[in-house]
Amino acid sequence: MKLIKIQVGGLPHFKENLEIDFFAQQRVQSENNDGLYQIFSNIYVNNSISFIGINASGKTTILRVIAFVINLLNNKPINAIETKEILEDINDEQTVTFTTFFYHSGLLNKLETVIKKTINPIDENTRYMIESENLWSQKSTKIKTKKGMFDFQGIPAVKRNQDEEYLMDDVSIIIAFNKKHKSKVFLCDMSKWTNFNMLNLLGKFPKELLLFLDPSIEYLKCAVDEKDVDIRLKFKGKEEILMNNPMVLDKYLSSGTIKGISVFMNAFFAFEDGGYLIVDEVENHFNREIVSTLIRFFRDSKVNKNGAVIIFSTHYSELLDEFERNDNIFIVRNRNGISAENLSNILKRNDIKKSEAYQSDFLEGTVPTYEAYIALKKVLINRN
């Protein structure tokens, strides 16, 4: 299953409807389609999607929205989705509409899900339920243009019915589609680990990865039994170190090595399944070359054979220069509400250095305001 577009209406804190495109909007050169994955005909999706903006612009919130939608597509009950917090600020009179366009097994699909909040009068606990839902499907062979991917006029919808007693009120009707087509989306959402840098998976790690991150490591092995975690770490020419708690690793390994093991291992799993890896503030603990290598792996069709997608936020404007295209970059701003604008709508040319356009505030709202700088300077001057 490949995401093509997500549209969200009614979410508080957003200036207007949120719209995230995963497909290549700009022209695709047949001789140079690195960083793209062909799903059908002349339709490609980007293998890397980046969100860049200043602090508190809303990047993390957008990543949570994307993770929420993917979990919804994976039949997960809304009330069990960790990122359901994006719905917290709606009241019981409001609804949020998620419209998701996706491709699977020769079918182009549109899922429209309307969600509302309910409050249990007995224990006053908050729950979310699906008020209405429709699913449209059409054969991709009928699609002749990119615009046609979003035209479902005249196509009958599978509707959520009131008599579906077997279906929980917070589970999408996509469950029937997934069962019929044996579809599922691989998702690793690492945004919850942004402020907690620790090893979040166990096993025997490839020595090539360890050497890439820290050439002094000979091996790192993590095994789990019913009671303990057995961790064995050995540096070249040193005695083996035994541990039983992953949190102790930071005494021996750098924060970049720990994060690198987790991120790259989850990237390997995404490559196998053609899934999605979400990383918030991807540059944290990493130097530029490690981040660039990670992104290049996703852009390399020899490594990324199944069209896995990395979705990340960053403050690191130089990272944008890794991309030849503009349509996989979103500029996030928070000016009386969060908005995400595709860079291809602002910069029409790909040959303009993206980092310079960002740093110069040519894109507007991408650097702290001059007024804020002067105010801070005055405070520092007047401290003495």
Side-chain angles (χ1 to χ4, degrees):
M1 187 182 291
K2 298 294 182 185
L3 291 172
I4 294 175
K5 181 194 282 284
I6 292 174
Q7 297 172 326
V8 188
L11 270 182
H13 306 306
F14 281 82
K15 190 172 184 179
E16 51 195 20
N17 290 351
L18 174 66
E19 187 166 306
I20 304 298
D21 292 308
F22 293 82
F23 71 100
Q25 300 179 61
Q26 294 176 303
R27 186 175 181 178
V28 177
Q29 302 290 343
S30 58
E31 68 277 6
N32 182 17
N33 58 3
D34 277 357
L36 300 174
Y37 182 78
Q38 186 177 20
I39 54 175
F40 68 90
S41 185
N42 63 338
I43 304 300
Y44 294 77
V45 290
N46 282 298
N47 290 339
S48 55
I49 305 289
S50 62
F51 296 89
I52 186 166
I54 61 175
N55 288 337
S57 57
K59 302 184 297 297
T60 301
T61 301
I62 292 173
L63 294 185
R64 288 171 180 164
V65 171
I66 295 172
F68 179 89
V69 169
I70 294 176
N71 278 301
L72 192 70
L73 292 176
N74 274 340
N75 314 327
K76 197 163 186 179
I78 293 171
N79 294 288
I81 298 176
E82 291 185 27
T83 56
K84 67 178 183 297
E85 62 197 56
I86 60 172
L87 302 168
E88 285 180 354
D89 292 325
I90 64 174
N91 59 44
D92 55 7
E93 296 179 354
Q94 295 174 309
T95 60
V96 180
T97 302
F98 293 87
T99 305
T100 308
F101 296 87
F102 65 94
Y103 172 85
H104 183 74
S105 297
L107 292 175
L108 194 65
N109 309 276
K110 174 183 176 181
L111 177 67
E112 185 180 81
T113 307
V114 181
I115 298 173
K116 69 177 183 179
K117 176 193 283 188
T118 61
I119 307 294
N120 190 316
I122 299 175
D123 56 17
E124 297 186 347
N125 285 336
T126 298
R127 285 191 79 258
Y128 302 99
M129 60 176 291
I130 298 174
E131 184 177 70
S132 63
E133 199 169 28
N134 295 286
L135 174 64
W136 295 265
S137 298
Q138 59 177 318
K139 291 182 179 179
S140 59
T141 52
K142 296 183 178 181
I143 308 301
K144 304 302 180 185
T145 64
K146 292 178 182 178
K147 187 177 180 180
M149 290 192 296
F150 311 108
D151 183 7
F152 286 81
Q153 287 188 357
I155 297 175
V158 176
K159 295 181 178 292
R160 190 182 190 93
N161 299 317
Q162 299 298 323
D163 59 354
E164 291 173 326
E165 297 180 4
Y166 66 91
L167 188 62
M168 294 187 293
D169 62 7
D170 64 344
V171 175
S172 170
I173 58 172
I174 196 70
I175 189 171
F177 180 95
N178 289 339
K179 185 176 181 180
K180 178 180 178 180
H181 297 280
K182 298 180 181 179
S183 58
K184 189 176 183 180
V185 189
F186 173 87
L187 170 66
C188 176
D189 179 9
M190 295 194 67
S191 61
K192 58 188 175 185
W193 298 94
T194 305
N195 299 319
F196 305 96
N197 188 35
M198 61 176 289
L199 206 61
N200 59 16
L201 72 172
L202 304 175
K204 182 179 179 181
F205 305 108
K207 77 176 177 181
E208 293 83 1
L209 172 60
L210 299 175
L211 289 174
F212 172 73
L213 298 168
D214 184 346
S216 68
I217 299 176
E218 187 171 323
Y219 61 75
L220 174 62
K221 303 174 184 178
C222 304
V224 184
D225 59 24
E226 293 181 359
K227 296 181 180 179
D228 299 309
V229 177
D230 180 23
I231 301 174
R232 297 173 179 269
L233 170 65
K234 188 176 185 308
F235 293 96
K236 294 177 181 178
K238 303 288 186 180
E239 293 289 327
E240 184 182 61
I241 302 169
L242 300 178
M243 293 162 276
N244 61 7
N245 187 338
M247 297 186 71
V248 182
L249 273 172
D250 63 3
K251 292 183 179 180
Y252 306 98
L253 300 178
S254 71
S255 60
T257 299
I258 292 172
K259 180 176 179 179
I261 293 171
S262 295
V263 172
F264 278 88
M265 287 302 298
N266 281 302
F268 297 164
F269 297 143
F271 292 149
E272 290 177 3
D273 289 282
Y276 294 81
L277 173 64
I278 298 177
V279 186
D280 193 14
E281 298 183 11
V282 69
E283 70 276 10
N284 279 8
H285 308 288
F286 281 162
N287 63 43
R288 177 177 176 178
E289 187 55 34
I290 290 179
V291 179
S292 298
T293 298
L294 176 67
I295 294 171
R296 288 169 195 158
F297 281 163
F298 275 88
R299 295 180 61 236
D300 189 334
S301 60
K302 294 180 181 178
V303 175
N304 186 8
K305 299 176 182 177
N306 298 313
V309 180
I310 183 170
I311 305 168
F312 65 92
S313 68
T314 184
H315 303 96
Y316 198 174
S317 59
E318 288 81 5
L319 203 56
L320 303 183
D321 296 330
E322 285 291 326
F323 302 124
E324 296 180 6
R325 305 177 62 83
N326 293 336
D327 55 7
N328 58 346
I329 299 170
F330 289 85
I331 306 301
V332 183
R333 308 179 181 92
N334 193 344
R335 297 182 291 190
N336 299 317
I338 300 169
S339 65
E341 187 174 6
N342 196 288
L343 184 59
S344 65
N345 296 329
I346 312 170
L347 289 180
K348 300 300 181 183
R349 291 167 50 190
N350 290 331
D351 59 342
I352 297 176
K353 199 168 185 180
K354 301 170 182 62
S355 59
E356 292 179 358
Y358 182 86
Q359 292 168 350
S360 68
D361 204 28
F362 170 76
L363 306 178
E364 299 184 0
T366 57
V367 295
T369 64
Y370 179 74
E371 292 79 7
Y373 159 74
I374 293 298
L376 177 60
K377 183 177 179 179
K378 287 180 178 179
V379 168
L380 294 174
I381 292 173
N382 295 330
R383 282 186 69 200
N384 299 320

